[in-house]
Amino acid sequence: MPYTAGLRRVVLLCFLAVAAPSFCQSEAPVNVDPRIWIDQLGYRPQDLKLARFTGQETPFALVNESGKAVFSGTSTVAVFDPLSGESLRTFDFSGFTQAGVYHLAIPTGGRSPDFIIADDVYQKLTLASLQMLTYQRCGTESGSNLDSDFYHAACHLGKAEIWGTSKTLKAEGGWHDAGDYGKYVVPGAIAVGHLLFAWDLGAKVPGLLEEARFELEWLLRMQDAGSGGVYHKLTSRSFPGMDVSPDYDLTTMVVSPISYTATADFGAVMAMAFRIWKTTDPSFAKKCLAAARKAQGWISSHPFIPFTNPAGITTGEYGDSVGRDEALWLSVEMLRATGEKAFATAVKKAVDSFGLRADSFGWADTGMFSVAGVLASDERLIDASVRQQAESVLSARAGQLLSIAKASPSGTMLRASDFHWGSNMTVLDQAMILITASKWKLISDVAPVLENLHYLLGSNPMGVSYVTGFGSNPVKNPHHRPSIAAGVFRPIAGMLSGGPNADLQDSLAKNSLVGQPPAKAFLDDSGSYSTNEVAVYWNTPLVFVLAVLGRPDGRL
Ligand code: G3I
Ligand code: 9MR
Ligand code: ZN
């Protein structure tokens, strides 16, 4: 029988009269309804607060800890969601803004898990997502401030062979990349770039600069003193076993040859580091700028050649078929650091040749770093046409993302074509793009930033929070050697899983995810590295978004 307005009101009143007493639950909720998708951490009071529902039309109530229904409404019309293959309705409880612990309930007795409404709902997660980097530190024993269940002694000490030579360099330092113990300059520099960009935007999270500096100090050791070129990575020849803790990985470490993209990314973040430390630590800042200049010198005198693994090395490649985006980013950051006309000329020449691309803050396509850098540059230095192009490409990209979100029943900016390896970074990359556009007043609507965050924290068809240790149903089995080797049957907290990957790129995914809708192509299994690994440069965009959200005024 179709709901009429009057019938609906009767049902709602009956439901509210009955609902409250039955929600005086002290024990953990037993009737959690998986059809209700929510941010399992919660919501900020003044933000849009929408839950998704895959069932039939229904009234709903927002119920407080004492079981009292404090807000009510009715689900919206169902809209098909191509990401999940479900028809989604929405429970809109945005009108309620009082801080507290709540859950959503529907007349059938189903309910959501508890969640929080509070201004600081993401504060603990912000610090934990940054602390993931501390857990990834190489060369030091895990600190007393970390969870003792994951204690390890200092790892990867001694010398690493430089491939193809008889030379060596110190193996320790920097962050282990991900679920493996390799250290890779390209993603490591990108991760530092995310942190320093957040700092540039006024997100002064305690410990953020210290963490970035730990990686920068290792990056400095990866530069060849003679040529200024930067070695691509420092890894074992092949990946160690999944049950090997960092301090028990005694395989020989090998430094892979210098690469164009490693050198350019290295130079860009060294130039950023000069700007950020020039008043607080001038000697470190000068060291970074000198290294950036040497990297620039190498880039200017070498053609782009894509990096491929050298013989005998089978660890992560981070290959890239295009190097001009990295070279442009380096020129932009050198201009910001030095104000020298030569770099303004280089930027204009590159932009006139192949334009600016508001593509991503990712490890392969770095165009958004250049767009953001151009917009932040001194207007007296940057060519007006370059700045205008940066505004234009970013406006177009942000407008496209907003249109996608507006049309999406999930409220996110995601499309079915976004679900590749590391899709959860894409979720955050889109948020970073919107935040950048908002910073330069190119857009005003930033609600999809929060919707993308809500997706990561539970409002998704898997019903999981993709951050370990956070939410009522967090990812539990990431592809992460330190967590597995610890043998405590839980992972280190605060790590973002790579997320659904419709390309089915590991054997478990190939065996069990065929035919799944893109946002369901996920396995919470430590063997599924193409859907469930973690990585420092997937966590740093999470730090960026949370840190910017957590700025004193709370505005984006
Ligand atoms: O974006 C394209 C898409 O347009 C195309 O349709 C699709 C077809 O397969 O490919 C997509 O590119 C994928 C790319 O990730 C997206 O970022 C590639 O297939 C995929 O192979 C590539 O995977 C990379 C993976 O290493 C394998 O090389 C991931 O980006 C990268 O994050 C991951 O990095 C690993 C390190 O090698 C080792 N340490 C762990 C780390 C995280 O898993
Ligand atoms: O653990 C490795 C992970 O960090 C990489 O992202 C992934 C893809 O390169 O490879 C993982 O290592 C697996 C290897 O590729 C195949 N044999 C099993 C290894 C552990 O799962
Ligand atoms: Zn190590």
Side-chain angles (χ1 to χ4, degrees):
M1 175 202 306
Y3 267 115
T4 60
L7 173 62
R8 190 183 299 155
R9 193 172 301 114
V10 168
V11 168
L12 182 56
L13 290 173
C14 295
F15 162 56
L16 292 177
V18 172
S22 65
F23 290 101
C24 295
Q25 298 194 28
S26 55
E27 72 283 354
V30 291
N31 50 350
V32 168
D33 188 333
R35 298 176 301 169
I36 305 173
W37 303 355
I38 55 151
D39 181 323
Q40 295 172 14
L41 274 69
Y43 302 82
R44 301 188 308 171
Q46 302 311 320
D47 287 338
L48 208 56
K49 292 184 282 298
L50 305 173
R52 264 74 199 187
F53 182 61
T54 60
Q56 294 306 309
E57 184 181 16
T58 176
F60 72 89
L62 182 70
V63 181
N64 67 15
E65 275 189 296
S66 54
K68 181 172 181 293
V70 295
F71 184 88
S72 64
T74 302
S75 60
T76 58
V77 68
V79 179
F80 179 70
D81 171 35
L83 308 184
S84 62
E86 308 273 3
S87 285
L88 299 186
R89 298 173 190 273
T90 297
F91 295 159
D92 186 346
F93 54 105
S94 305
F96 187 82
T97 58
Q98 188 179 337
V101 177
Y102 301 92
H103 66 267
L104 293 167
I106 55 178
T108 59
R111 55 161 284 169
S112 75
D114 284 345
F115 57 86
I116 292 168
I117 294 178
D119 283 321
D120 63 352
V121 61
Y122 301 128
Q123 187 177 17
K124 284 184 183 163
L125 177 58
T126 306
L127 298 176
S129 58
L130 178 63
Q131 193 172 59
M132 179 264 186
L133 303 171
T134 314
Y135 280 102
Q136 294 291 107
R137 287 188 176 194
C138 175
T140 64
E141 75 169 338
S142 47
S144 56
N145 60 324
L146 302 185
D147 185 331
S148 57
D149 275 353
F150 302 102
Y151 171 81
H152 66 79
C155 59
H156 301 107
L157 305 173
K159 296 290 186 191
E161 301 168 6
I162 299 180
W163 189 91
T165 76
S166 56
K167 294 191 291 182
T168 64
L169 59 77
K170 269 173 64 170
E172 64 198 61
W175 299 313
H176 301 139
D177 181 52
D180 64 320
Y181 298 130
K183 295 177 288 186
Y184 305 78
V185 169
V186 162
I190 292 297
V192 170
H194 294 149
L195 297 180
L196 299 188
F197 183 25
W199 191 266
D200 271 340
L201 292 186
K204 313 292 187 194
V205 177
L208 183 147
L209 286 188
E210 289 74 10
E211 210 51 67
R213 180 152 179 176
F214 185 83
E215 181 74 356
L216 285 162
E217 297 282 9
W218 171 74
L219 287 169
L220 283 167
R221 293 212 299 274
M222 289 295 279
Q223 184 172 40
D224 173 49
S227 68
V230 179
Y231 296 111
H232 192 77
K233 61 178 178 175
L234 191 158
T235 72
S236 44
R237 285 188 168 81
S238 58
F239 292 116
M242 287 310 297
D243 58 354
V244 176
S245 69
D247 46 343
Y248 283 78
D249 178 20
L250 306 177
T251 48
T252 303
M253 303 307 270
V254 181
V255 176
S256 289
I258 288 168
S259 78
Y260 188 96
T261 49
T263 304
D265 288 345
F266 166 97
V269 293
M270 288 298 161
M272 292 178 86
F274 168 74
R275 281 192 296 106
I276 284 173
W277 273 276
K278 66 183 176 186
T279 48
T280 55
D281 189 340
S283 66
F284 176 65
K286 284 181 189 136
K287 191 175 171 187
C288 291
L289 184 58
R293 287 192 188 278
K294 288 177 69 174
Q296 176 67 45
W298 189 95
I299 290 291
S300 305
S301 52
H302 290 77
F304 168 69
I305 298 171
F307 174 82
T308 54
N309 272 337
I313 306 287
T314 58
T315 50
E317 195 163 66
Y318 289 107
D320 191 343
S321 56
V322 176
R324 61 189 184 206
D325 54 315
E326 286 84 3
L328 173 57
W329 181 28
L330 172 54
S331 298
V332 169
E333 292 303 340
M334 288 304 285
L335 173 60
R336 295 179 69 191
T338 68
E340 292 165 9
K341 183 108 182 78
F343 296 119
T345 306
V347 168
K348 172 140 176 55
K349 183 166 176 257
V351 172
D352 287 348
S353 307
F354 50 83
L356 285 163
R357 292 167 58 89
D359 46 21
S360 86
F361 290 99
W363 66 264
D365 301 322
T366 63
M368 267 306 299
F369 282 108
S370 292
V371 169
V374 161
L375 293 172
S377 296
D378 183 331
E379 293 201 16
R380 294 163 299 178
L381 287 174
I382 201 86
D383 184 279
S385 68
V386 170
R387 185 178 187 83
Q388 198 286 319
Q389 188 176 143
E391 288 178 352
S392 151
V393 297
L394 182 51
S395 296
R397 181 84 166 92
Q400 178 198 40
L401 290 170
L402 289 174
S403 302
I404 293 165
K406 191 175 172 67
S408 169
S410 68
T412 68
M413 298 176 266
L414 287 164
R415 285 182 298 189
S417 58
D418 286 327
F419 291 86
H420 303 295
W421 195 317
S423 67
N424 282 343
M425 182 192 169
T426 300
V427 176
L428 291 161
D429 194 51
Q430 292 171 350
M432 290 178 71
I433 291 169
L434 233 50
I435 289 168
T436 308
S438 171
K439 152 79 180 166
W440 298 106
K441 302 190 180 355
L442 300 175
I443 58 163
S444 56
D445 176 14
V446 288
V449 168
L450 276 301
E451 290 298 339
N452 273 31
L453 183 62
H454 297 326
Y455 162 88
L456 292 177
L457 298 178
S459 189
N460 60 62
M462 300 308 295
V464 296
S465 158
Y466 282 112
V467 184
T468 56
F470 283 83
S472 46
N473 183 29
V475 164
K476 298 176 181 62
N477 306 294
H479 183 90
H480 185 243
R481 286 171 175 78
S483 295
I484 295 165
V488 292
F489 305 108
R490 64 185 173 89
I492 289 168
M495 305 190 298
L496 178 69
S497 168
N501 172 3
D503 300 328
L504 310 187
Q505 290 174 302
D506 65 64
S507 53
L508 291 182
K510 287 179 172 61
N511 291 338
S512 48
L513 294 176
V514 173
Q516 284 296 332
K520 292 183 177 177
F522 173 76
L523 287 170
D524 185 7
D525 187 308
S526 64
S528 182
Y529 49 76
S530 71
T531 75
N532 200 26
E533 187 157 12
V534 298
V536 293
Y537 58 94
W538 294 341
N539 253 63
T540 45
L542 180 61
V543 173
F544 177 98
V545 172
L546 293 171
V548 168
L549 277 173
R551 288 176 304 186
D553 66 0
R555 287 177 46 75
L556 283 178

